[in-house]
């Protein structure tokens, strides 16, 4: 199966009572996870997304905990928020730096 066939949309909403997922992902994506254990899914999931892999992992982990009826401890939530915020900051800074680089290059030529 080619990764190109996995194109779609996944909407994750994290809230005080857990996570909700809405997927417009093609059904082939679900086959990647069929028959795999939770830990294997959590290992594989972030590798499918070039951007925000940690955010996907945090959302999937929160969803699995909610499905098991486990409450998220405040320390866990803080750790997840910190990792996701750090990843978002990194992505934004990367985009800014790439934009500046292109703008400076354009100005020099």
């Amino acid at each position: 199966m080619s990764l190109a066939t996995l194109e779609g949309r996944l909407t994750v909403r994290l809230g005080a009572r857990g996570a909700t997922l809405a997927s417009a992902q093609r059904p082939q994506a679900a086959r990647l996870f069929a028959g795999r254990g939770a830990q294997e899914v959590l290992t594989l999931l972030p590798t499918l997304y070039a951007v925000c892999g940690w955010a996907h992992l945090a959302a999937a982990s929160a969803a699995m905990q909610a499905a098991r009826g486990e409450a998220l401890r405040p320390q866990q939530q803080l750790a997840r928020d910190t990792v996701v915020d750090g990843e978002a900051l990194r992505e934004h800074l990367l985009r800014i730096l790439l934009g500046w680089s292109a703008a400076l290059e354009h100005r020099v030529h």
Side-chain angles (χ1 to χ4, degrees):
M1 171 186 334
S2 158
L3 287 180
T5 64
L6 299 178
E7 187 176 311
R9 179 184 308 232
L10 179 65
T11 303
V12 179
R13 289 193 176 87
L14 296 177
R17 295 183 180 220
T20 58
L21 302 171
S23 177
Q25 199 93 10
R26 294 186 178 158
Q28 295 92 333
R31 291 193 312 204
L32 286 174
F33 301 112
R36 297 179 192 261
Q39 190 57 48
E40 193 174 3
V41 168
L42 292 176
T43 301
L44 179 60
L45 182 67
T47 67
L48 296 177
Y49 300 96
V51 177
C52 298
W54 286 103
H56 286 91
L57 178 61
S61 179
M64 287 183 185
Q65 275 189 288
R68 290 190 299 261
E70 296 174 2
L72 195 62
R73 294 190 319 251
Q75 299 90 344
Q76 289 176 306
Q77 187 63 53
L78 178 61
R80 285 181 183 162
D81 290 347
T82 301
V83 168
V84 171
D85 289 347
E87 181 178 55
L89 179 61
R90 184 196 72 203
E91 293 296 330
H92 283 86
L93 288 174
L94 179 60
R95 298 296 163 226
I96 290 168
L97 291 174
L98 289 173
W100 281 349
S101 174
L104 290 174
E105 195 173 290
H106 184 284
R107 189 173 189 180
V108 171
H109 293 287

